[in-house]
Amino acid sequence: MAQLFFKLKNWFLNLFLKQTVICLIILFCIGIGVALSNMSSLSNSLIELQSLQNSRDQANSIVKTWQLYSRAAAVRLGKIKDVTIRHDYFLREGSIPPPATFIIELGQQITGKEEGSAISLYSDYPYAWRKDRAKNKFAEEALTYFRENPENKEFYRLEKNNNRPRWKYAQAMIMETSCVACHNTDPESPKKNWNVGDIRGVIAISEPLDKITDQTKKALGTASIMLAGFSFLGISGLALVMNRLNQTTKELESRVRERTADLAGANEDLEKRNILIRQVFGRYLSDEIVTNLLNSPQSLNLGGERRKITILTSDLRGFTAASERLSAEEVITVLNIYLESMADIITQYQGSINEFMGDGILVLFGAPTERNDDALRAIACAVKMQLAIGTVNQKLKNLGFPQLEMGIGINTGLVVLGNIGSEKRTKYGIVGSQVNLTYRIESYTTGGQILISESTLRESESIVSVRGQKQVQPKGVKEPIIIYDVGGIRGAYNLFLPSEDEIFVNLTEEVAIQYTILEGKHLGNNIFQGRFIQLSKKGAKVKVEFLTDNAVPPIFANLKINLFTTNDSQEMSEDIYAKVSETSLEEGTFFIHFTAKIPALQEKIDRLFVSG
């Protein structure tokens, strides 16, 4: 069926291109026929509408005349002694006709000069002197219709008698107070239990439409002739134009073939160049930004805009310390394995990688393309990244490299984004306090953790699973903020981090340590001493040796720790890094989460953990 339709379409197109003038003539003729048909239909509708309005006006005028005569004349004159109301009033001096007789004669006067027109009254309860009147089938149907549908007061239709159109209209006659009083007391009345509002009968109006129809046909005939004349002139002029266009088309076809061959070669070269551009720049920019640059070169102009986006930043915990034991080539290998896996996930969730910062990643959701679910996709992306770390670590383990732990911070807010730099060197980036806040939130994370801001939670709280919350005071922020620990995301994403209870084991032999609080990237001035009194696989409980000022670091503080090789020795181990995870109710103690453990030290801690 589809092939048949395709063949018919091609045949018609070929015919139209080869026999354009003939096809246009046929289409013009069809158009004229459709136009005349519509004009005829419209004329008939207008005739019916005008006939309905004329009949309605006539009937309303007769009803109002009837009511006026009944109230102002018949009722008042009927109370005069020498005046009587009789249907044969013309035979008796001092008599006047009843309202119905008056209306019948009024209708005869109105339609007397119009051949075929008639105005009549019909009732199924006629007086004795009207029973011999001719039956009116239309009036009978109208009366039946009104009594079955009392809410309708009009009944009309167009009839044809010997192919002569005739308009028929009927309106209900409603009994009023004066009518009820008269009919119910008149000894000659055929019915004496009338109520106000009853339908007494109908006013029937019949009007021939011969003259109007003939005039309309003549007008349509004249219009058809004029339309045909104009169409002929138009087609003739069009044929001349088409002939000239055909000549011009042949000349142009020859030129187009030549130019097409040239453009095909140029397009092939351009496509190869675009592919190369995408391959090269796609390694440094996200696909969305590359596409935007190729499709809209004006987007290279310097400048920016303010927009609400969701920012994700991730960082490997303790990787700087671990990389010191690796060669430069090995560091790059580890980073490439890690970043390749993360980049694939970020692309899957339509994030835009703004830059790689060593082992850190800055990702934008909402730039350059803004979407309604930016915050949700950012959280789902973060959960998937944390879940993928297990696969990354397995690859690294097989290659003999250290294991990785990653922290992720997410924030939603207004930033300024756009092309930053100079005409010679430009970067698509973002600036603003919300960017700095995202880095601050990420700095509070431990390995395997995702922390989000309150603004991000508001955008996604319907399906986000939160494991806990903490109030923090980031540097550069006037008021404390609440950050939320994400455990997963429900709905269509259905991604959840594994839940592991951290078990601390008491040590039979406590481990002496010294530690220094890191201030940003720098070591603090004070060195404190303490002991590991409990260990877990990822952290420890520390007891301060000498409880002095600042000896118990605040929550989220970063520490550099060295172990004494023996409790009686002053020889120190290599550096180990940790973050204060929470304070203890026991005075002078706090809990830490390790962020960097060199392999040899990891083995020693594992042995201590087993012995504990």
Side-chain angles (χ1 to χ4, degrees), residues 448-510:
Q449 194 174 33
I450 302 169
L451 295 179
I452 65 173
S453 66
E454 192 167 5
S455 58
T456 302
L457 181 64
R458 283 197 300 268
E459 298 277 336
S460 56
E461 60 183 338
S462 60
I463 61 172
V464 170
S465 174
V466 175
R467 297 193 292 200
Q469 64 184 62
K470 291 181 181 179
Q471 187 179 67
V472 295
Q473 178 70 63
K475 183 179 179 181
V477 179
K478 295 180 180 180
E479 300 292 336
I481 66 170
I482 298 176
I483 55 177
Y484 300 86
D485 186 359
V486 172
I489 183 168
R490 298 181 293 274
Y493 301 104
N494 196 32
L495 297 170
F496 296 92
L497 298 177
S499 179
E500 295 182 8
D501 294 330
E502 192 168 9
I503 301 174
F504 286 86
V505 177
N506 292 321
L507 295 176
T508 56
E509 183 179 351
E510 298 176 351

Side-chain angles (χ1 to χ4, degrees), residues 191-202:
K191 183 178 178 182
K192 296 184 175 59
N193 59 344
W194 292 102
N195 295 313
V196 175
D198 287 349
I199 299 176
R200 172 75 174 87
V202 297

